[in-house]
Amino acid sequence: VRYCPENLKDNDEFKAHITCAVFSEDGREVIGSYNDEDIYLFNTYDPEGSPHIHRYQGHGNRNGGMVSFYGPNSEYVISGSDSGNIFIWDKQTEGLAKVMPGDDNGGVYVLEAHPTLPVLATSGLDDEVKVWMPLQVTDGPGHCSQREKNEYMLKTVQRNLNDRETQRNSEPDPLDGQMLWVLGRHLRRAERRRREAAALAARGEEEAVSDADTSEEEEEE
């Protein structure tokens, strides 16, 4: 069975492809993230070619990060963003339930929700995996009012939409600065692992030589 949003079908100027797809907890729904950066929800019981049921917007997903359902009954849709934020939408209303910072050094591209508990693991361009869980809201140092949260949400969405429009109007560049940064990081990690493996091998050879010398000395005695 194949599904594609109506606005992406038979588009000569834009060739659509999926960057991520995930089924809901009961398998009745599937969400797909497309290269237009939006997330679309389809009913798996609908016949092939049926239009999407919901559409989720506001984030930036140019580099093809993961999307997922969240909640024991898949009540929410979640995604990372090129802006370094985590987006949580109400599945039915398509409204943003929460936007929160998830990465200090760039985008958030990997998310994994716990199947039964309200726990979420995320990873981005930094070297950390973060684990999130809801806490009771209390007043005190560092507490943000609902108005401040709404302002942050609106500013983030507007910035993402402006960035998306700027990117679409500019020359396409598949190897933009951020992607080059990611490739460079992976190359550096691979080189570090190679050096560590070589050091371990050299240490093993030295220990083998040392053991052989000790055995020879014992035989001489």
Side-chain angles (χ1 to χ4, degrees), residues 10-221:
D10 302 323
N11 192 329
D12 295 333
E13 298 180 359
F14 185 85
K15 182 174 178 58
H17 63 262
I18 296 175
T19 58
C20 184
V22 180
F23 285 95
S24 62
E25 180 268 339
D26 59 8
R28 293 176 176 270
E29 299 165 324
V30 60
I31 51 174
S33 175
Y34 288 76
N35 57 324
D36 71 338
E37 302 187 47
D38 290 343
I39 303 169
Y40 299 85
L41 184 147
F42 299 90
N43 189 326
T44 58
Y45 283 67
D46 289 342
E48 182 172 312
S50 297
H52 60 274
I53 306 300
H54 295 292
R55 182 178 181 178
Y56 310 96
Q57 300 175 289
H59 63 311
N61 197 13
R62 187 184 183 197
N63 294 319
M66 289 178 60
V67 298
S68 184
F69 287 98
Y70 184 63
N73 299 309
S74 302
E75 302 95 328
Y76 298 95
V77 172
I78 58 175
S79 174
S81 177
D82 297 333
S83 62
N85 291 284
I86 301 167
F87 282 68
I88 305 177
W89 294 268
D90 183 285
K91 184 180 71 175
Q92 296 299 332
T93 68
E94 304 178 10
L96 269 173
K98 192 174 186 63
V99 175
M100 57 186 187
D103 192 293
D104 296 329
N105 297 319
V108 175
Y109 298 120
V110 180
L111 308 98
E112 188 66 39
H114 192 280
T116 57
L117 300 176
V119 177
L120 175 69
T122 66
S123 179
L125 292 182
D126 57 18
D127 295 326
E128 300 173 340
V129 175
K130 298 180 177 66
V131 179
W132 309 83
M133 61 184 299
L135 298 175
Q136 183 178 1
V137 178
T138 57
D139 294 331
H143 172 70
C144 294
S145 67
Q146 189 60 47
R147 180 181 60 82
E148 292 174 317
K149 294 178 182 177
N150 290 341
E151 289 179 353
Y152 178 80
M153 188 182 302
L154 289 172
K155 289 180 180 178
T156 301
V157 169
Q158 188 60 55
R159 183 170 62 250
N160 288 340
L161 293 176
N162 290 340
D163 290 345
R164 182 185 298 190
E165 189 65 26
T166 300
Q167 290 166 0
R168 288 180 177 175
N169 292 333
S170 63
E171 283 292 326
D173 183 7
L175 290 178
D176 60 10
Q178 194 170 46
M179 288 301 295
L180 287 174
W181 192 94
V182 173
L183 290 172
R185 186 186 66 164
H186 284 300
L187 290 173
R188 288 193 297 273
R189 283 182 173 178
E191 177 62 21
R192 185 173 68 248
R193 293 192 187 101
R194 187 193 65 77
R195 290 198 302 267
E196 290 173 351
L200 286 173
R203 190 181 307 163
E205 292 177 358
E206 291 176 358
E207 291 176 354
V209 171
S210 177
D211 291 342
D213 292 342
T214 302
S215 298
E216 290 178 359
E217 292 175 358
E218 293 175 351
E219 290 177 0
E220 292 176 357
E221 292 177 358

